[in-house]
Amino acid sequence: CSAQHAAWLQERGSRIMWLSEIRRKGVGAAFDEAMASLSPESWLFVSFDLDAVVGSDAPGVSAPGVVGLTSAEALQICFAAG
């Protein structure tokens, strides 16, 4: 996420949960926290680019990285999102 994109999202009231925070809290707890912060009338769209998964777990992506979610963490988010 570029600094410009992050600023654009935050100016519009979005909250970005960075990988360092997810790792510190754990994927399940971080996702639960995000869900708990929503009001009952809120809409939630959960999305992550497959480039967010570490390259060794997703070798076919266009921009593989050495840092990112593990495939297990990505699946945990998918299952929690429903």
Side-chain angles (χ1 to χ4, degrees), residues 6-67:
W8 184 86
L9 288 167
Q10 291 168 335
E11 288 167 5
R12 285 152 182 79
S14 295
R15 182 182 179 307
I16 298 171
M17 193 170 289
W18 299 103
L19 182 60
S20 58
E21 182 179 359
I22 292 170
R23 289 271 164 78
R24 187 175 65 253
K25 294 177 178 178
V27 173
F31 194 82
D32 289 345
E33 179 183 314
M35 295 295 292
S37 71
L38 300 173
S39 70
E41 298 82 30
S42 295
W43 289 81
L44 175 67
F45 178 79
V46 177
S47 173
F48 61 85
D49 192 311
L50 197 52
D51 290 336
V53 177
V54 68
S56 60
D57 285 351
V61 299
S62 61
V66 295
V67 176

